[in-house]
Amino acid sequence: MASHNSHSGAPPRSRPRRRLLGTIAGALATVLMGGLALTGPTTSANASSGPLTVAGQTPRTSSAKPTIVLVHGAFADAGGWNAVAGRLLAAGYKVVAFPNPLRGPQADGEYLRQFLTGVDGPVVLVGHSYGGVVISNGATGNPNVKALVYVAAYAPDAGESVAAANTLGGGHTDVTDHLIVRPYPGAAPGDGDAYIDPAYFHNLFAQDLPRSTTGVMAATQRPGALAALVTPSGPPAWKSVPSWYLVARQDRIIPPEAERVMAKRARATTVEIDSSHVAMMSHPDVVTKLILRAAR
């Protein structure tokens, strides 16, 4: 992967970030996961006794268009979906943006699971980046979810963390070397809210957008809990729900090599484009077309 060093004049890092994930993983292993392993993916399909059933929801046979639920990832918010949401609305679809808490796969997945009980009829879930973790967890056992769409997103297997998924296919990302971590109330020891250092945001997150745009994105980014990077994911919905995947060939957050492995593993209908991590912003027409394919 090409080097992602910042432009000249970037401030020096204030902490040894290359040891950051290892330190966090050790500190949180007992507190957050009760001894669950944090290293490497598992491909077992038997990580649980069976799919969960969402209370109050039954399969729908309506031929109505599905509601498109858009799920943002870390270092961003639902505004990143604006261009795609407008196109979907113009095509006659109901669109809802999920307010992702960015706290961890199980907690965020459960929030999405409950959120979907308030959405009538069939649903297509669309996740960007860490949002893919959330749809993979939150859709499990929900008969109303007819399709999953991953836009440069994580599609983890059971027991696999974001950090482990980044290494699939021999991939590597520099983003963990350029994080600023700030405390938040109730955080476990060693945890905190992680932001991408604004000096590196453009080159890492959205290098194909104007700097005037990425400057605002960096200033207004929503952080994600650092622990979410090393927390194992639950049983994935992509094992039973049809999936679509957009690989961003110029992604510097999730290695494209890892994206290809996750797409193939999920047996997803896959497209590849020359895009940064934020394909829904730099290539909204392509992303919209993929979602529409999944919704039909």
Side-chain angles (χ1 to χ4, degrees):
M1 178 173 292
S3 172
H4 314 139
N5 292 336
S6 74
H7 52 278
S8 61
R13 297 192 293 273
S14 59
R15 56 177 62 84
R17 302 195 205 286
R18 293 188 182 276
R19 298 194 297 272
L20 194 56
L21 282 179
T23 301
I24 291 300
L28 297 174
T30 301
V31 176
L32 298 180
M33 275 76 77
L36 285 174
L38 297 179
T39 58
T42 173
T43 56
S44 171
N46 299 314
S48 69
S49 59
L52 301 174
T53 300
V54 180
Q57 290 193 332
T58 57
R60 306 296 179 99
T61 59
S62 170
S63 60
K65 288 182 175 181
T67 298
I68 312 296
V69 178
L70 304 172
V71 182
H72 68 83
F75 318 123
D77 60 22
W81 289 113
N82 284 353
V84 169
R87 287 162 169 79
L88 293 171
L89 290 168
Y93 286 86
K94 295 180 181 178
V95 178
V96 180
F98 173 69
N100 194 350
L102 304 174
R103 285 293 172 254
Q106 282 78 38
D108 298 338
E110 180 57 28
Y111 185 11
L112 177 60
R113 188 187 309 279
Q114 295 188 32
F115 181 88
L116 292 177
T117 64
V119 179
D120 292 330
V123 171
V124 171
L125 288 177
V126 185
H128 171 247
S129 192
Y130 169 76
V133 178
V134 180
I135 68 174
S136 295
N137 284 266
T140 302
N142 187 333
N144 286 349
V145 178
K146 66 171 292 184
L148 303 170
V149 182
Y150 296 88
V151 178
Y154 294 100
D157 206 343
E160 188 172 70
S161 68
V162 165
N166 277 332
T167 67
L168 295 173
H172 171 74
T173 176
D174 289 337
V175 67
T176 53
D177 298 334
H178 303 297
L179 296 178
I180 295 173
V181 181
R182 299 185 174 107
Y184 69 85
D191 197 9
D193 264 336
Y195 302 75
I196 296 177
D197 187 331
Y200 300 90
F201 190 95
H202 174 86
N203 287 340
L204 286 174
F205 201 74
Q207 73 272 18
D208 55 359
L209 294 180
R211 286 188 179 274
S212 58
T213 299
T214 58
V216 174
M217 292 168 64
T220 61
Q221 62 182 297
R222 282 197 59 189
L226 191 62
L229 299 178
V230 295
T231 303
S233 190
W238 51 256
K239 287 186 180 291
S240 58
V241 180
S243 300
W244 280 255
Y245 199 109
L246 184 140
V247 173
R249 294 193 192 104
Q250 308 304 322
D251 200 329
R252 297 174 181 174
I253 300 295
I254 307 176
E257 302 93 330
E259 293 181 6
R260 294 185 184 103
V261 171
M262 289 185 281
K264 182 177 181 180
R265 185 172 63 184
R267 301 180 300 279
T269 300
T270 303
V271 300
E272 292 200 6
I273 62 172
D274 286 321
S275 173
S276 72
H277 187 57
V278 291
M280 69 285 189
M281 298 179 70
S282 58
H283 296 82
D285 287 331
V286 177
V287 172
T288 301
K289 287 177 182 177
L290 185 65
I291 296 170
L292 292 177
R293 288 174 62 187
R296 294 191 181 105

